[in-house]
Amino acid sequence: MAPGEGGRTVLKRSAILLVAGVLVSCPAWAAKKGAAKFKSAEVRHFTSGEGVELSPEFPDFLYAQMKKEMQKTGLFEQIIGEDEAVEAADAERSLIVSGNVLEYKKGSVAKEVLIGFGAGRRSLKTHISVLRRSNKEALVDKDMTVKAPSTRKENLLANFLARRSPVKSRKRWRPASPRPEPASAVTS
């Protein structure tokens, strides 16, 4: 064996083992990551509170954005429209997502330019609820506020809300059922 070849052989073997390990673990990781947690999610149009002045197309745009962002999560086998029927057997694994726009501030370009530091920005305050279809158990019940520059259209607020929605991350949900207690160690 020539000098330096032993190091190359070890490096080649290490690289082959690393690639083999990645290839073996990828199918298990993909299956775990790609598995939908819920059969379906029904997205409903957000209602507007009293005195909230948004453009007439805003609720439809927010509805479409919520459906689009929820589809990206992979948590749901299908995203269904408002008032679509779900089989009784699938009701336990189905959710209803609804919300209410509580407050909308148009913002002020003058304040944004003169004061800065977030003053004068558009803001949208909403309340989002995620309920289990079968028993109406609340999994998410949260107020959210999103802000955008006052020079941008209000549809940007819908984009921000859909992207930051607690519906996208199950980590933000309350547990659907009590978690089992860890098994205590058996001593002999």
Side-chain angles (χ1 to χ4, degrees):
M1 200 183 289
E5 283 186 28
R8 287 184 194 161
T9 305
V10 171
L11 185 59
K12 285 180 185 178
R13 286 183 185 165
S14 298
I16 289 171
L17 286 173
L18 178 63
V19 169
V22 169
L23 291 175
V24 168
S25 64
C26 278
W29 175 75
K32 184 178 180 183
K33 184 171 176 75
K37 306 281 187 219
F38 297 97
K39 178 70 175 167
S40 66
E42 174 188 341
V43 181
R44 294 185 175 167
H45 281 83
F46 279 41
T47 58
S48 294
E50 191 174 320
V52 176
E53 295 180 21
L54 290 162
S55 64
E57 63 272 355
F58 183 82
D60 292 330
F61 186 77
L62 178 58
Y63 173 77
Q65 287 300 111
M66 289 294 289
K67 286 178 73 171
K68 178 179 154 188
E69 290 296 324
M70 288 174 61
Q71 190 68 45
K72 287 181 184 178
T73 65
L75 288 173
F76 314 99
E77 287 182 27
Q78 63 182 8
I79 305 295
I80 60 175
E82 218 164 337
D83 298 323
E84 284 188 35
V86 173
E87 293 181 25
D90 295 332
E92 182 64 30
R93 292 186 55 223
S94 297
L95 304 177
I96 299 171
V97 179
S98 60
N100 188 14
V101 178
L102 304 173
E103 181 180 275
Y104 170 66
K105 293 182 182 175
K106 292 180 183 179
S108 166
V109 176
K111 284 183 182 177
E112 196 169 354
V113 171
L114 294 174
I115 300 172
F117 304 109
R121 297 187 78 168
R122 289 181 189 261
S123 68
L124 182 72
K125 183 176 181 180
T126 60
H127 182 83
I128 298 176
S129 298
V130 178
L131 305 174
R132 188 176 302 277
R133 182 180 285 278
S134 60
N135 59 4
K136 305 296 188 230
E137 174 190 6
L139 301 175
V140 175
D141 199 25
K142 181 177 182 175
D143 287 344
M144 283 189 65
T145 302
V146 291
K147 295 184 177 191
S150 58
T151 55
R152 304 294 297 269
K153 293 183 178 181
E154 64 189 19
N155 288 350
L156 186 62
L157 291 169
N159 284 337
F160 287 167
L161 182 65
R163 288 186 183 142
R164 296 183 181 138
S165 167
V167 177
K168 286 187 63 177
S169 174
R170 191 168 179 182
K171 293 177 188 174
R172 298 178 188 167
W173 297 8
R174 285 185 248 153
S177 58
R179 295 184 181 197
E181 294 295 322
S184 57
V186 178
T187 57
S188 42

